[in-house]
Amino acid sequence: MNRIFSHYTSWHSFKRLEIREVFERYKQGNISREQFERYLLQRDHKMWAEVESSGVANNYVDTLLNLFPSAKYILMLRDCYSWCDSHINQEINYPQTSHYPVDINSLSEEKNMRFVLERALIQWKNCAERVISRCPSDK
């Protein structure tokens, strides 16, 4: 994504671990909507970018729409195979941010791969549906 917008100031997953942690705190009710919005505005100011491509942003697209009403959004819908490959690679390389509620290392290799692929495909589908349903077509 950053290469497509190389003539703009852009970031891919700016402060990736931090935004995931703050979003989880918001989702669990440990911080208020106002605190989450304030964090996003401060993050945006620090990032100082015209374009951001962040996978986690699909989770709070409704908040972004409220905070940045004149912004335009591009949904890059990757094919499920390359997305799953990237997602699983991230799960392997950054296990501390894993989306999986069980210890996948304790499962048998066959069950483990089936579990990981099933979860990844569900996330791919849910992500696209979430953004499409929340972001108006004129945005």
Side-chain angles (χ1 to χ4, degrees):
M1 216 27 203
N2 282 345
R3 280 186 245 144
I4 293 171
F5 294 101
S6 62
H7 55 287
Y8 294 96
T9 306
S10 63
W11 283 94
H12 175 67
S13 297
F14 180 76
K15 296 193 175 218
R16 181 180 55 81
L17 297 178
E18 182 180 287
I19 185 62
R20 279 186 169 196
E21 178 186 318
V22 173
F23 176 69
E24 282 301 316
R25 290 175 54 212
Y26 168 63
K27 192 168 77 172
Q28 294 169 0
N30 295 326
I31 63 172
S32 68
R33 181 177 182 92
E34 293 78 23
Q35 290 171 307
F36 183 58
E37 289 175 348
R38 189 170 38 253
Y39 166 78
L40 289 175
L41 290 171
Q42 290 170 349
R43 179 179 175 271
D44 182 65
H45 182 73
K46 289 177 189 173
M47 184 173 29
W48 201 257
E50 296 166 288
V51 175
E52 178 191 7
S53 60
S54 174
V56 74
N58 76 81
N59 292 295
Y60 50 86
V61 69
D62 53 334
T63 306
L64 293 174
L65 289 164
N66 289 332
L67 288 175
F68 306 103
S70 62
K72 296 291 183 183
Y73 301 86
I74 299 171
L75 172 60
M76 297 294 293
L77 190 56
R78 284 173 79 176
D79 69 282
C80 64
Y81 301 111
S82 66
W83 186 90
C84 284
D85 181 51
S86 174
H87 177 74
I88 291 167
N89 184 51
Q90 182 172 333
E91 293 295 329
I92 291 168
N93 290 310
Y94 302 100
Q96 69 275 18
T97 63
S98 177
H99 296 94
Y100 304 117
V102 299
D103 179 8
I104 61 174
N105 295 320
S106 67
L107 300 173
S108 72
E109 197 170 312
E110 183 181 335
K111 277 188 175 179
N112 184 10
M113 186 50 69
R114 184 178 299 142
F115 178 78
V116 170
L117 285 173
E118 182 179 295
R119 292 288 305 203
L121 288 169
I122 290 168
Q123 283 187 297
W124 175 82
K125 177 184 172 284
N126 290 346
C127 170
E129 287 177 348
R130 183 173 34 254
V131 174
I132 290 167
S133 70
R134 293 182 182 170
C135 193
S137 61
D138 65 331
K139 291 290 185 177

